[in-house]
Amino acid sequence: MAQMFLRDLAQKRGLAIGTAVSADALRGDAQYRTILAREFNMLTCENAMKFGPLHPACGQFAFDDADAIVAFARENGMAVRGHTLVWHRMLPDWFAKGGFTYDDGIDLMRGHIHTVVSRYRGQVCAWDVVNEAFEDDGGWRGTPFLRMFGPDYLTTAFHWAHEADPDVKLFYNDYSADHVNRKSDAIYAMVRMLLDQGVPIHGVGLQMHLCVWDDLHPASVAANIKRFNDLGLDVQITEMDVRMKEPFSESDLLRQARIYREIMEVCLRAERCSAFVVWGLTDRYSWIPDVFEGEGAALLFDADGQPKQAYEALKEALWRERT
Ligand code: XIL
């Protein structure tokens, strides 16, 4: 039998399996391109579609990196998740420190969202419209958007994205909201309210940044996905990685593989969990060592591009759940 790769198995299950793509690695590393096209049927720009990289000066857009990634996806039959339109991080100074009036701020946000969503209309299947609007205790995060516009900025952002592409699926995305907890309770209450108001929102993204020492409760993740599904919303796993302390041991890798498998199983068993995206292709390009000191090895492929136990575990889960 011909060898089955991750994307073949996922495709048979009707699941999108994706990864976050670095524009530099895509350009400079042939092995990266090979693994990406072979294993995944969805991708997202790790940074290239964020506000700062895409809109470096007021009214001036830099689409090259995002365009190159979208072109790669098209050439290789991959879907694209758009990430992200409204996020408090990676904002350019001209916007974050601009001191705009309410009206000017609204015009800028509308212009940004309309320009970006229109450009990728028909090419991006889902947008993370708003990213990380809540604190872990369930309170509103004090972002420049909250300060400038109040909590209505969510409603407005979803409407603008929908105006620019009425067919694209619109998501709210956040981390540490994977289980049923105070943060996911707050998100649940918020999306319910948006739905009641007729706001065009179609899904919730669970980022799923985990550690090997985490206490994972698959039943709680499943219950969380179910309550969003019961509202008629899709759920996607949008940024999964499972980090460990360096130097790591064999048992760390096995524990990591188990966590990936458990989340895949929860996704496959859910009524609607349509995508499973990992946050980076190989450990060489992962964001973890830059942000979490002394930690790493969070992805499916090691720094040399070799598949890890976690990769095999995902394939097993896809295979087993299918038969
Ligand atoms: C990270 C990228 O991986 C880094 O390269 C960048 O320096 C910072 O952002 N949640 C998100 C992602 O929604 O956009 C973040 O990506 C990781 C956490």
Side-chain angles (χ1 to χ4, degrees), residues 252-268:
D252 287 329
L253 292 174
L254 292 173
R255 169 96 188 118
Q256 176 185 55
R258 204 174 89 206
I259 295 172
Y260 270 107
R261 175 193 289 123
E262 284 176 335
I263 296 300
M264 177 58 88
E265 285 169 355
V266 166
C267 181
L268 290 172

Side-chain angles (χ1 to χ4, degrees), residues 5-320:
F5 296 105
L6 206 47
R7 81 179 267 176
D8 306 313
L9 291 168
Q11 202 112 8
K12 287 194 193 311
R13 266 306 297 239
L15 178 74
I17 183 105
T19 187
V21 169
S22 139
D24 287 344
L26 187 69
R27 232 175 252 124
D29 184 338
Q31 185 200 39
Y32 184 97
R33 292 193 292 275
T34 304
I35 302 173
L36 178 60
R38 186 184 69 206
E39 303 287 350
F40 296 93
N41 59 19
M42 170 179 263
L43 57 71
T44 185
C45 298
E46 181 169 6
N47 291 309
M49 286 189 184
K50 291 171 181 170
F51 200 121
L54 210 52
H55 200 161
C58 187
Q60 262 177 46
F61 288 84
F63 288 117
D64 285 2
D65 284 354
D67 284 356
I69 294 173
V70 170
F72 184 90
R74 194 172 45 240
E75 284 152 21
N76 292 283
M78 306 164 88
V80 180
R81 285 196 94 255
H83 176 81
T84 177
L85 299 170
V86 179
W87 189 34
H88 61 287
R89 293 184 56 208
M90 295 183 72
L91 288 171
D93 279 353
W94 71 261
F95 181 81
K97 299 185 182 157
F100 300 110
T101 61
Y102 178 89
D103 287 345
D104 288 346
I106 287 278
D107 282 348
L108 284 167
M109 280 310 296
R110 188 196 297 112
H112 178 83
I113 292 177
H114 276 171
T115 304
V116 174
V117 175
S118 313
R119 183 172 186 96
Y120 297 109
R121 184 172 172 167
Q123 305 187 68
V124 161
C125 63
W127 269 107
D128 290 330
V129 177
V130 179
N131 197 33
E132 304 179 352
F134 288 99
E135 300 283 1
D136 287 354
D137 67 3
W140 288 103
R141 188 187 291 280
T143 68
F145 305 102
L146 188 75
R147 278 194 296 278
M148 253 193 269
F149 313 123
D152 280 354
Y153 78 85
L154 277 109
T155 312
T156 320
F158 278 91
H159 278 301
W160 286 331
H162 186 67
E163 277 167 19
D165 182 353
D167 297 320
V168 73
K169 300 295 177 209
L170 303 180
F171 279 69
Y172 175 81
N173 191 51
D174 215 325
Y175 66 91
S176 297
D178 316 310
H179 292 85
V180 173
N181 57 29
R182 290 209 302 185
K183 192 171 191 173
S184 61
D185 285 351
I187 293 167
Y188 179 78
M190 184 266 302
V191 297
R192 250 188 108 139
M193 201 187 69
L194 294 182
L195 287 167
D196 283 348
Q197 294 171 356
V199 174
I201 176 171
H202 311 104
V204 172
L206 306 179
Q207 292 187 7
M208 213 61 75
H209 293 292
L210 304 176
C211 324
V212 288
W213 57 86
D214 273 340
D215 248 347
L216 185 71
H217 299 284
S220 174
V221 178
N224 197 30
I225 293 177
K226 182 174 185 324
R227 64 174 167 171
F228 290 116
N229 284 170
D230 287 347
L231 292 177
L233 295 173
D234 190 7
V235 170
Q236 300 187 337
I237 310 300
T238 52
E239 306 185 15
M240 183 155 180
D241 49 20
V242 184
R243 59 190 191 268
M244 54 188 78
K245 296 232 183 321
E246 300 269 14
F248 54 82
S249 65
E250 190 65 13
S251 70
D252 287 329
L253 292 174
L254 292 173
R255 169 96 188 118
Q256 176 185 55
R258 204 174 89 206
I259 295 172
Y260 270 107
R261 175 193 289 123
E262 284 176 335
I263 296 300
M264 177 58 88
E265 285 169 355
V266 166
C267 181
L268 290 172
R269 287 172 193 162
E271 187 193 325
R272 257 176 95 196
C273 173
S274 61
F276 186 105
V277 181
V278 290
W279 202 245
L281 187 69
T282 74
D283 288 335
R284 185 185 299 272
Y285 300 106
S286 165
W287 70 304
I288 296 291
D290 297 334
V291 174
F292 301 91
E293 215 189 309
E295 298 174 18
L299 298 170
L300 304 178
F301 297 88
D302 70 14
D304 298 322
Q306 295 306 308
K308 294 155 68 178
Q309 286 92 328
Y311 168 82
E312 300 300 337
L314 287 190
K315 279 181 40 174
E316 274 164 32
L318 283 162
W319 181 252
R320 220 188 22 251

